[in-house]
Amino acid sequence: MVPLTADHITDLFRVIAARLMEARTELGVLDGVIGDADHGNSMAEGFAAIVRASSDAAMRGAPAGDLFPVAAQSFLSAVGATTGPLYASAFLRAGKLYTGRIEIAPEAIPSLIPAFADGIRERGKAQPGDKTMLDVWAPAARAVQQAEARGLDPIACLDEAVNAAEDGREATRAMVASVGRAARLGERTLGHVDPGAASATIIIAALRDAMRRRERAVR
Amino acid sequence: MMARPAQGVESDATVPMPLRFGDDTLLWAAWLYYEEGLTQGEIAEKMGLSRASVNTYLADARTRGIVNIEIAPDRFRELSIAQALKDHFNLQDCLVIPTDGDGRPLIARLGAAGAQVLKSFVRPGDTIAVTWGRSVLALAEALDHPGLADVRVVQATGGTTARIPWTPEACASRLAEALKARCIPLSAPAIVSSREVRELLLREPVLAEQMAILAEANRIVMGISSLRPESTIHTSGFLDGIDQHSHYDSAVGSIVGRFISARGQPVLGPLTERTIGLDLEMLQRIPQRIAVAGGIDKIAAILAALRAKHVNVLVTDTATGRGILNAEGWTEPLRRSHPEPVLPALSRSHAKKLINAPQDAVDECLGGALLAHEALIAPVPGTTRAVMAAAGPRTGKVAIVIGGGSGHEPGFWGFVGRGLADAAAVGNIFAAPPPGPILAASRAVSGGAGLLYIYGNFSGDVMNFEMAAEMAEAEGLRVRQIVTIDDIASSPLESRASRRGVAGNIFAFKIAGAAADRMLPLEICEALARRAANRTYTMGLALEPARLLDTRRPSFELGPDDMEIGVGVHGEPGVVRRKLASADDCADLLLDRILAEMKPVHGDRVAVLVNSLGGTPAMELYILHRRVRQRLKAHGLVVHKSLVGPYYTSLDMEGVSLSLLHLDDELASLLDHPCHAPAVTVLER
């Protein structure tokens, strides 16, 4: 399989950004029920900033592996909020996988997901079951690790991650928020999908779709 | 127990009384008649009674107050939730008890309800498997039974740690005792050290015989455990030495010592082949599977068990039952006798706003503010999202840096100026500022005596300010942080540290600013500001939600006659919804809660802030202020200072917050210290 250059990585970010932009209102509505309704904006603006910063960096000849710290910084600066530090930590952790690499092999892409999960877990200190984005990232990460252990190809690994993410997102309906703004609502958060879990699922599915499209194109 | 009528000898045509009616025949008759709309004749047939008896029952139900114009709403709720659970999950039966009961703990009442259920099902010759846990032990303890012939009670898993009173052994032996039944233990630990040990043990004739009896069970009584850190599965030592994250991340609960996913599928891990006892396949072969479980932390786990049909008789409480159903998209039915009027669409659904592009609003607002108050505030170099006092840093003075999301104007830049904060960083609408502008502001205003960050307790603000503090410290700046928690509605007193910081912040800013202006050292400034923050109590209510700039829609929905108590200043919904009351009643409601926590004594001094959340005009604020002052006077308190106006808003949310600062001499003197900022000015005496 053809390795990904800095431009290809930027394209992945672009697909994610486009999906989040489409979902912006829907995520805002989810967040309005149990939070402050800014989640759609934060995610869309944050990924738009990532696309701008990484395409600039790619144009200046940055290696593919160095786009992740760039993404971390640009997301954090654009967003702040709660998602800023969480996704910045996720991108920094992912960046450690690829430091200095000029190109990234497609086989190394699914590992982004466990790295994201670790970064988010450490910064946010949430537990599975707290009704947060971690309820998607953690099972998706586990699905990737299991799929990799079974020797599946990258697209199949990402398919497994998407399935686990969707299950994780739906599972947040039955959870009572115990971290973050929604925690103050307690029982009233029941029945609602956590907005962070919803956007995490969008990111994972977009990553899979972008990789799949690319594999078809380069085949 | 209420005697069932003699003519009601059960025939095949008679439906046994559904569990959810407990043993209240009158309630059942009333339900069939008033809620299911059956005729008296149909009820007679269904209940195995004569029509005349049904008639008497219905009359009795009225005189006993079970049926007046409405069935007691709580009972209705229990019944309708039980019915919905039974239908939705295709259960054999379901019993739902009130969440708030007679003062006994929920576990004890669930146990008693479970005992009642088991009593109605148990038959001679039964083999009943039993798991462990608090609810199961409570059931065994509540059970009182004359005893039946040839009943066996068998442990469903091996034994667990003796650290807990509700071990499998204890649950099984207590239940056997209560049923006067024979108790069959499983003579092995539930978790053994390896797969090999398990296989060896299962070959032992004693254990093999016990396992064979377990396989003959025709009923099981079980608990359901969540995987939350405080759950039974943790306390019973099941996961000792196992890293839950690396193995059971995808599990949401556990039954019979087995882990299940959100869909109820087995989650395999290192314990799977080291567990002695029933597995999920064996469980499914038991015809009647009674689960006793409640508590909102268990909802995900119970839902998973129901989805996979591991359970076919459920005993739970109303809040848990409703939570399970809500998670499945069910909404509570409206009462037939009380048709709620269909409400017209919200009149404020689309707002008119004086903005240009929504994404430019924050920067344009800040730009306008800087021009309006150029004598007082100036931009921080290197960022567009922070302002500083125009006077600039003063050598040897502690610098106060505040901040938070935008949408709270005049927060936060309105509190920057001489005698108040030295700088403020703002984020996007309702979103914490990133570390960048906080750090830029810190550098710009540092006077060499250290920095004090003050901000409200929101996870975003906490994370970003903490990151900024780490970066500032790496540059050699000294930083102390105060996270304010004045919103008393946002969490009970026991978990005070998780409360939000809202409008009462401005008292902390004022005290900190005055202390710094008096050139006190960092530790003293911090201690004084912390004292002010800890003695500030705020509670808010909203009449209408804020409408966001880019969607121009409300951030949450509120009915035309409702108000939301305990709203957050970021546009979060509140904690309780009530019918809208008069200004005086609202003032009383806020004040009573605040005084109950503050516990002032006669003659104490307070500062008052009646704050508009953006959409409520001065007239209403002053009406409230009038009442607050009346009440404070009647309470024997002296008001040292009152602030009335929009100080800490939430876009155009209609509503108010009331904050009280419980003063002492030192805080009163600092409150009087002169300051000059866009939103607050205190003149030199």
Side-chain angles (χ1 to χ4, degrees):
Chain A
M1 282 192 266
V2 185
L4 289 87
T5 62
D7 284 335
H8 295 140
I9 296 292
T10 305
D11 284 342
L12 295 185
F13 294 159
R14 195 170 280 128
V15 174
I16 297 172
R19 294 284 177 86
L20 287 166
M21 196 61 83
E22 280 166 27
R24 183 184 186 128
T25 309
E26 179 197 329
L27 290 171
V29 170
L30 276 183
D31 193 23
V33 180
I34 57 180
D36 57 19
D38 79 325
H39 189 69
N41 291 340
S42 299
M43 295 304 293
E45 298 296 333
F47 269 86
I50 287 179
V51 172
R52 285 194 298 274
S54 50
S55 70
D56 285 354
M59 219 151 22
R60 288 194 311 270
D66 287 7
L67 294 192
F68 291 88
V70 168
Q73 188 51 49
S74 56
F75 192 100
L76 184 58
S77 301
V79 171
T82 314
T83 38
L86 293 173
Y87 276 103
S89 305
F91 276 104
L92 287 176
R93 178 58 74 97
K96 284 190 190 165
L97 294 175
Y98 315 121
T99 313
R101 286 201 210 169
I102 296 184
E103 295 182 329
I104 297 171
E107 290 76 10
I109 291 293
S111 306
L112 269 174
I113 293 171
F116 264 52
D118 288 344
I120 288 167
R121 197 194 317 262
E122 276 163 28
R123 175 60 65 182
K125 300 177 186 77
Q127 302 271 340
D130 283 344
K131 195 178 180 111
T132 68
M133 62 172 80
L134 193 63
D135 288 308
V136 163
W137 284 110
R142 182 137 188 82
V144 166
Q145 284 159 340
Q146 285 170 348
E148 283 178 336
R150 278 155 55 207
L152 299 187
D153 69 48
I155 304 292
C157 290
L158 292 170
D159 282 338
E160 297 284 306
V162 172
N163 290 339
E166 284 170 354
D167 284 358
R169 177 192 63 200
E170 291 312 305
T172 64
R173 278 185 203 281
M175 295 174 188
V176 180
S178 44
V179 170
R181 282 183 193 167
R184 280 96 183 191
L185 295 173
E187 205 192 321
R188 282 169 77 182
T189 60
L190 278 166
H192 299 292
V193 163
D194 178 67
S199 60
T201 307
I202 292 170
I203 293 171
I204 294 166
L207 180 66
R208 188 265 317 263
D209 295 347
M211 285 294 287
R212 191 186 269 165
R213 198 182 308 160
R214 183 177 173 278
E215 285 307 311
R216 282 205 202 103
V218 295
R219 193 173 292 152
Chain B
M1 180 175 163
M2 156 103 28
R4 288 182 83 162
Q7 65 268 49
V9 178
E10 284 187 20
S11 68
D12 287 346
T14 316
V15 182
M17 176 157 45
L19 275 182
R20 60 185 188 279
F21 299 105
D23 35 41
D24 195 337
T25 324
L26 286 192
L27 189 59
W28 186 23
W31 172 270
L32 291 175
Y33 187 73
Y34 289 99
E35 292 299 335
E36 295 197 0
L38 268 52
T39 65
Q40 295 191 10
E42 286 165 339
I43 297 170
E45 199 174 314
K46 189 154 187 162
M47 297 179 68
L49 302 169
S50 72
R51 209 177 158 282
S53 312
V54 172
N55 195 288
T56 317
Y57 269 38
L58 293 175
D60 271 4
R62 277 215 196 88
T63 51
R64 271 185 46 196
I66 294 173
V67 176
N68 35 51
I69 291 309
E70 48 183 327
I71 298 183
D74 291 344
R75 300 307 306 269
F76 176 82
R77 192 156 299 129
E78 290 154 33
L79 300 177
S80 61
I81 289 172
Q83 179 75 52
L85 284 167
K86 181 172 183 284
D87 293 347
H88 187 85
F89 295 104
N90 199 15
L91 300 175
Q92 287 179 4
D93 221 327
C94 180
L95 175 59
V96 172
I97 63 165
T99 300
D100 306 306
D102 49 13
R104 283 182 303 157
L106 180 62
I107 297 275
R109 291 186 297 109
L110 280 172
Q116 182 197 326
V117 166
L118 184 61
K119 212 163 154 179
S120 75
F121 285 125
V122 65
R123 294 286 177 275
D126 272 359
T127 299
I128 304 170
V130 187
T131 70
W132 80 103
R134 272 172 279 220
S135 310
V136 176
L137 187 63
L139 182 157
E141 283 177 342
L143 188 65
D144 175 30
H145 199 280
L148 290 166
D150 307 321
V151 173
R152 295 183 297 186
V153 168
V154 53
Q155 234 175 279
T157 66
T160 60
T161 171
R163 288 200 300 266
I164 49 164
W166 44 82
T167 59
E169 298 89 331
C171 290
S173 61
R174 289 298 270 278
L175 191 67
E177 214 175 296
L179 287 168
K180 283 102 190 154
R182 208 147 67 75
C183 187
I184 320 288
L186 282 197
S187 311
I191 301 290
V192 294
S193 47
S194 71
R195 176 189 178 156
E196 291 71 31
V197 171
R198 174 175 177 269
E199 280 168 8
L200 274 177
L201 279 173
L202 286 175
R203 284 206 289 272
E204 285 294 326
V206 169
L207 188 56
E209 188 193 341
Q210 292 166 340
M211 285 294 290
I213 295 173
L214 179 56
E216 290 169 12
N218 64 323
R219 295 181 216 286
I220 180 167
V221 175
M222 58 191 170
I224 297 177
S225 178
S226 79
L227 287 184
R228 310 291 305 146
E230 64 285 1
S231 66
T232 304
I233 197 78
H234 286 268
T235 52
S236 54
F238 241 78
L239 285 167
D240 286 1
I242 298 279
D243 178 7
Q244 187 190 329
H245 287 321
S246 49
H247 298 290
Y248 294 109
D249 251 2
S250 53
V252 300
S254 119
I255 49 172
V256 298
R258 307 284 173 171
F259 297 88
I260 54 173
S261 70
R263 291 185 179 161
Q265 299 307 307
V267 176
L268 305 181
L271 295 179
T272 309
E273 298 201 318
R274 288 166 42 198
T275 304
I276 293 184
L278 211 59
D279 61 26
L280 294 177
E281 270 177 47
M282 289 172 75
L283 174 66
Q284 290 275 356
R285 287 198 291 270
I286 299 179
Q288 187 171 60
R289 305 179 291 276
I290 305 168
V292 183
I296 52 175
D297 56 315
K298 291 194 176 197
I299 287 171
I302 300 172
L303 178 59
L306 290 172
R307 280 176 176 158
K309 308 205 178 307
H310 295 311
V311 168
N312 56 21
V313 176
L314 177 67
V315 180
T316 191
D317 62 281
T318 43
T320 309
R322 193 193 299 124
I324 292 166
L325 289 165
N326 283 347
E328 291 282 273
W330 177 86
T331 45
E332 218 153 324
L334 295 174
R335 295 298 310 277
R336 196 199 300 190
S337 52
H338 271 263
E340 293 268 339
V342 178
L343 303 171
L346 293 174
S347 54
R348 278 170 56 107
S349 67
H350 253 99
K352 296 171 184 165
K353 299 267 185 188
L354 285 175
I355 53 169
N356 300 308
Q359 62 271 24
D360 296 335
V362 171
D363 291 328
E364 291 178 356
C365 165
L366 220 48
L370 285 162
L371 291 170
H373 308 285
E374 58 192 343
L376 301 173
I377 53 176
V380 166
T383 173
T384 59
R385 291 294 180 89
V387 304
M388 58 191 279
R394 265 188 288 161
T395 310
K397 178 185 153 324
V398 169
I400 312 294
V401 177
I402 62 174
S406 289
H408 307 306
E409 292 68 29
F412 292 84
W413 48 259
F415 307 105
V416 174
R418 175 133 192 160
L420 253 162
D422 293 275
V426 298
N428 293 324
I429 304 281
F430 295 160
I438 303 171
L439 185 61
S442 304
R443 291 185 192 125
V445 299
S446 169
L451 294 147
L452 183 57
Y453 291 176
I454 309 177
Y455 52 89
N457 186 26
F458 294 89
S459 48
D461 292 296
V462 173
M463 279 193 257
N464 286 283
F465 271 94
E466 276 181 356
M467 287 174 85
E470 286 165 20
M471 294 162 157
E473 278 163 355
E475 294 184 8
L477 300 173
R478 268 201 308 154
V479 181
R480 295 295 181 89
Q481 306 187 53
I482 292 175
V483 183
T484 63
I485 49 170
D486 55 306
D487 184 358
I488 61 171
S490 56
S491 206
L493 192 56
E494 309 85 80
S495 46
R496 190 165 182 227
S498 65
R499 287 177 174 178
R500 300 182 285 228
V502 288
N505 274 353
I506 73 163
F507 287 134
F509 301 159
K510 176 73 187 76
I511 299 297
D517 199 44
R518 290 179 179 177
M519 305 301 276
L520 296 170
L522 182 59
E523 288 69 26
I524 307 288
C525 290
E526 182 195 358
L528 287 166
R530 197 176 296 286
R531 174 144 41 108
N534 288 340
R535 292 168 69 95
T536 300
Y537 304 82
T538 299
M539 189 156 155
L541 59 85
L543 313 179
E544 293 288 348
R547 294 153 310 164
L548 301 168
L549 297 188
D550 52 353
T551 60
R552 295 183 293 126
R553 289 192 163 277
S555 59
F556 60 93
E557 293 204 350
L558 200 51
D561 299 324
D562 293 338
M563 62 179 181
E564 184 97 350
I565 317 283
V567 285
V569 75
H570 286 101
E572 305 94 324
V575 286
V576 184
R577 192 158 289 189
R578 292 247 188 103
K579 284 272 167 271
L580 179 58
S582 69
D584 284 2
D585 286 346
C586 288
D588 290 348
L589 182 127
L590 300 178
L591 194 60
D592 287 345
R593 272 287 308 275
I594 290 174
L595 291 176
E597 283 216 8
M598 183 190 272
K599 299 192 174 61
V601 299
H602 194 90
D604 277 2
R605 277 181 296 171
V606 294
V608 176
L609 167 63
V610 178
N611 172 55
S612 168
L613 293 172
T616 293
M619 174 179 262
E620 293 159 48
L621 302 180
Y622 286 111
I623 292 172
L624 281 166
H625 182 247
R626 162 197 138 275
R627 176 63 176 180
V628 169
R629 295 290 293 258
Q630 283 175 357
R631 288 285 319 276
L632 290 174
K633 188 173 178 195
H635 210 78
L637 297 175
V638 178
V639 176
H640 188 74
K641 186 171 190 60
S642 273
L643 296 173
V644 179
Y647 285 90
Y648 217 79
T649 61
S650 183
L651 292 179
D652 58 352
M653 183 185 285
E654 273 183 27
V656 296
S657 66
L658 174 64
S659 303
L660 257 57
L661 165 58
H662 194 182
L663 291 166
D664 55 26
D665 289 345
E666 200 169 10
L667 293 178
S669 145
L670 290 161
L671 196 64
D672 289 340
H673 186 86
C675 70
H676 195 17
V680 189
T681 296
V682 173
L683 298 175
E684 202 93 39
R685 292 237 183 145

